[in-house]
Amino acid sequence: MSTDGLLLPPLAWAALGLLTAVLLIVLWLLGVRWFYRLREPRPEPFQIACADGWKLTLYHRAPAVRRFTEPVILVHGLAANHYTFDFDPPYSLAHVLADAGFECFSVDLRGTGRSAKPPRWRSGEWTVDDHVALDAPAMLDAVCARTGASRVLWVGHSLGALVGYALAQGPAAARLSGLVALGAPVFFRYAPWMRLAIALGTAAAWPLRLRHTVASIALAPFLGYVRIPFSEVVANPHHIAPRTQRQVYAHLMSALGRRVLSQFRDWAANDAWRSADRKT
């Protein structure tokens, strides 16, 4: 019997090997996220539209008994998503506040989580300016409409707090009943190695974003056994149980936008907090 039909050219074998490798990677990523899934009942997701058509996903965690007029908006930081605040107890501020009687709304800012997809008619790029001028007003409108409140409490981590700072200085200030900033910079005087890391990240984010999420999920099962270099930039591994570390890296990391990184590069180089066009 001739075996000529079973022989494939080298390029075909290479393509088959690449396809097999991609399939195995996808299965590994799906398996990791499933194995380290969060087990608590998840909050209610709903979508809102910004003025430019970009749709954001918010996550509502309602209290058993509402005791406070003002709802709380929980806004994550750079390279993260809503899991920052709505995780499995006891590592969940949303659970704590809901148990205390607050209406809680965690958010995926544009470019992250379920808010990653831009509308068809605009670029997939975004800036911190968009978070301030477009995301935040849409979130305030939606949360106030849903709860009947006229003002909200804003809790932000890192970038989320910077957006809150901007709101507190703008026309929406009257809609904030309070602002809590967690781990947010006031100055941008970073060490040279940090400025270099931001510059390298900006270059690696071409053309639209730095997609480190795949590496984060793929390496998650090994956390607690080995330490990823520079992981302390994200979290202190000595203060987090190994399984929780693995859940964090499997779910909480999100892509970094190129233009957002460019803004951070400008801030770090000039110790300035300003808009993308450097005018505000």
Side-chain angles (χ1 to χ4, degrees):
M1 179 185 297
S2 172
T3 59
D4 291 346
L6 301 178
L7 297 178
L8 295 175
L11 283 179
W13 280 113
L16 182 61
L18 179 61
L19 182 61
T20 302
V22 169
L23 179 60
L24 290 174
I25 291 171
V26 170
L27 291 174
W28 172 259
L29 297 177
L30 292 174
V32 168
R33 298 202 80 174
W34 177 84
F35 188 79
Y36 292 109
R37 66 194 182 279
L38 303 185
R39 301 184 183 278
E40 274 291 311
R42 301 307 301 151
E44 173 201 357
F46 64 97
Q47 281 196 325
I48 63 172
C50 299
D52 64 344
W54 200 306
K55 292 184 179 179
L56 306 180
T57 301
L58 272 65
Y59 301 83
H60 180 208
R61 188 169 291 279
V65 178
R66 183 175 174 180
R67 298 182 57 239
F68 300 95
T69 302
E70 295 93 344
V72 182
I73 299 180
L74 300 157
V75 189
H76 62 81
L78 194 67
N81 55 42
H82 78 280
Y83 285 107
T84 298
F85 288 110
D86 202 311
F87 210 68
D88 272 351
Y91 312 110
S92 173
L93 185 58
H95 281 82
V96 172
L97 293 175
D99 289 345
F102 287 99
E103 298 271 3
C104 288
F105 296 84
S106 304
V107 62
D108 285 339
L109 292 172
R110 69 176 60 202
T112 69
R114 293 191 187 180
S115 304
K117 188 176 181 180
R120 293 180 182 177
W121 55 85
R122 67 155 289 166
S123 164
E125 293 191 296
W126 71 96
T127 65
V128 178
D129 307 15
D130 294 323
H131 295 324
V132 174
L134 297 168
D135 294 359
M139 290 155 51
L140 290 172
D141 289 344
V143 169
C144 288
R146 216 170 220 253
T147 61
S150 58
R151 300 196 299 171
V152 307
L153 295 165
W154 186 282
V155 178
H157 171 244
S158 189
L159 172 62
L162 292 178
V163 175
Y165 293 162
L167 285 179
Q169 298 178 66
R175 304 181 71 182
L176 295 181
S177 184
L179 168 65
V180 176
L182 303 172
V186 178
F187 302 101
F188 294 89
R189 299 166 187 158
Y190 292 121
W193 73 266
M194 188 65 176
R195 294 199 297 270
L196 176 61
I198 295 172
L200 292 174
T202 304
W206 187 89
L208 294 178
R209 59 188 73 184
L210 179 62
R211 298 182 180 275
H212 62 289
T213 314
V214 171
S216 174
I217 299 170
L219 295 173
F222 305 103
L223 293 175
Y225 306 108
V226 297
R227 193 179 75 180
I228 299 175
F230 303 111
S231 60
E232 291 87 348
V233 174
V234 178
N236 187 343
H238 302 293
H239 287 183
I240 306 175
R243 179 175 174 83
T244 304
Q245 287 185 52
R246 296 191 276 272
Q247 286 181 299
V248 165
Y249 276 80
H251 294 283
L252 197 145
M253 301 301 158
S254 289
L256 285 163
R258 183 184 65 87
R259 295 189 67 193
V260 171
L261 280 168
S262 294
Q263 274 185 280
F264 268 83
R265 185 180 183 182
D266 168 48
W267 300 349
N270 298 289
D271 188 19
W273 182 46
R274 55 195 180 186
S275 59
D277 61 10
R278 304 188 181 187
K279 294 180 180 179
T280 304

